[in-house]
Amino acid sequence: MRSELYIDGRWTAPAQGETLPVVNPATEEVFHHIPAATEADAEAAVRAARRAFDEGPWPRMTGAERAKILRAMAEGIRARLPELARLEVMDNGKPLPEAEWDLADAAGCFDFYAGLAEELDGEVEPIPLADGRFTSKAVREPVGVAAAIVPWNYPLLMASWKVAPALAAGCTMVLKPAEATSLTALELGAIAEEAGLPPGVLNILSGKGSVVGQALVDHPQVDKVAFTGSGPVGSRIMASAARDIKRISLELGGKSPFVVFGDSDLDRAVEWIMFGIFWNQGQVCSATSRVLVERSLYDRLLGRLVEEAEKIRIGDGLQPGTLLGPLVNKVQYDNVLSHIDRAVEQGAKLATGGKAQGFNHGYFVAPTVLTDAPLDSDAWREEIFGPVVCLRPFDTEEEAIRLANDSRFGLAAAVMSGDDVRAERVAAAFRAGIVWINCSQPTFTEAPWGGYKQSGIGRELGRWGLDNYLETKQITRLVSDEPWGWYIK
């Protein structure tokens, strides 16, 4: 496990020598310390990235040359997948199979963007002009130095969603992982180094967001900020970035609805509801935490959901068979339990769960199903980011759509129905950037990811993710010998 920062191709002690403890959320034990970067470390990392962009080879390489290194990084992740997965279980808490799945996706992300890097070679879009004296074309170039600030729920995967397209575009980057889950992000520095990434192209700073994250957002030599996290922090980043008119992309919170019609298969509906809210302990920005069920199916579905939720095996993510691990840390644990208590105080009924799991240690919360949460309650309107789902019945399609869209968020939404025409109609009516039909949460590197309203700005993944790190340049050429006729006689 790394105990230094990665700056300009070198492993470096933090400027003030401070560290942060790494706590295993299943045992509450401190098992490692990571370096706590300071403003001085952020300055050094940005300068290294700036120099690598302005003077180094990376932006000037062909896309095929960059692709070769990106694929080597993908292979580096795969070669160390068992080790990296265990690290993510130890600092994040998720079950080992989930961590392995995430890391396989992270490697695939680097492979995917390697392919898009190759496609950038020779990419020129001719622009037809009405004036035949000129020709014009559009080309795309890297935006410059990017700062990526990523969350703790998918540590290396979320880093890959930003690092891979940025590097494919020819940008240089400073990566700031979440302070609770920095272990695999730091290891990415070693993987990049082994893959042959030039010094300064990728710099990795662990530390407190309020210190090093803010320093990156404020730095005048950072051209682009990519952030995944909470709405309030995203709002502050927008305000800070506005001073220098920095390019920004924000992937923020959600309170996603799942509409289930009465003609749905009960077993499939329950399975997808559970996956939509209990996967990763519910610590998913797109979690379908508001479930609207047609009244004819409501009682049966609620009963089955409670029955199946109570069967979920909870425990240390390294224990075989664990399906639900601990929440990431004490702060999140206390926050989720507080949300549940407040939901009951505001009128919601507890169908199951609602308490800490009965272990002597660890930040475990039982799968929780709430009913009858008032429409103006925090449980129905606010992101809880834990294994907590709210159910309520509806009578008409129009009512379901209205309730689903009645949110300041618009990240994701899901609909389940045996009627394909109705499912498509409801999907079109959702005000959300990601819509699932007869499922919830499947995510693919090839498809765009991002939300409407207060769920963010821009899209990650697919070609849209690459666009985040590219500028478009118009180049117009005079091809006629005719005099322009304004000044020259």
Side-chain angles (χ1 to χ4, degrees), residues 228-244:
T228 298
S230 73
V233 176
S235 178
R236 291 197 295 272
I237 287 174
M238 283 188 71
S240 297
R243 290 194 293 270
D244 298 317

Side-chain angles (χ1 to χ4, degrees), residues 253-266:
K255 191 68 177 178
S256 302
F258 193 160
V259 174
V260 181
F261 285 95
D263 59 359
S264 301
D265 179 273
L266 179 60

Side-chain angles (χ1 to χ4, degrees), residues 211-274:
V211 177
V212 67
Q214 190 65 52
L216 293 175
V217 172
D218 290 341
H219 202 293
Q221 292 188 14
V222 169
D223 302 299
K224 156 80 181 181
V225 177
F227 171 76
T228 298
S230 73
V233 176
S235 178
R236 291 197 295 272
I237 287 174
M238 283 188 71
S240 297
R243 290 194 293 270
D244 298 317
I245 320 296
K246 285 184 174 67
R247 307 304 188 253
I248 61 169
S249 51
L250 304 173
E251 204 272 271
L252 306 176
K255 191 68 177 178
S256 302
F258 193 160
V259 174
V260 181
F261 285 95
D263 59 359
S264 301
D265 179 273
L266 179 60
D267 291 336
R268 290 182 62 197
V270 169
E271 180 180 8
W272 282 111
I273 290 169
M274 291 176 64

Side-chain angles (χ1 to χ4, degrees), residues 102-152:
D102 293 349
L103 290 161
D105 281 353
C109 187
F110 278 93
D111 276 335
F112 176 79
Y113 282 105
L116 291 192
E118 291 172 328
E119 293 181 16
L120 288 174
D121 286 340
E123 182 188 70
V124 176
E125 181 180 350
I127 302 172
L129 300 177
D131 191 327
R133 294 172 294 176
F134 300 88
T135 61
S136 191
K137 62 184 179 181
V139 299
R140 296 198 293 172
E141 298 177 344
V143 72
V145 174
I149 303 172
V150 299
W152 44 257

Side-chain angles (χ1 to χ4, degrees), residues 162-200:
K162 292 173 172 55
V163 173
L167 298 188
C171 292
T172 59
M173 173 167 276
V174 182
L175 170 65
K176 163 63 179 70
E179 60 193 82
T181 56
S182 295
L183 296 180
T184 51
L186 289 169
E187 295 298 330
L188 187 63
I191 290 169
E193 192 171 42
E194 292 164 6
L197 194 70

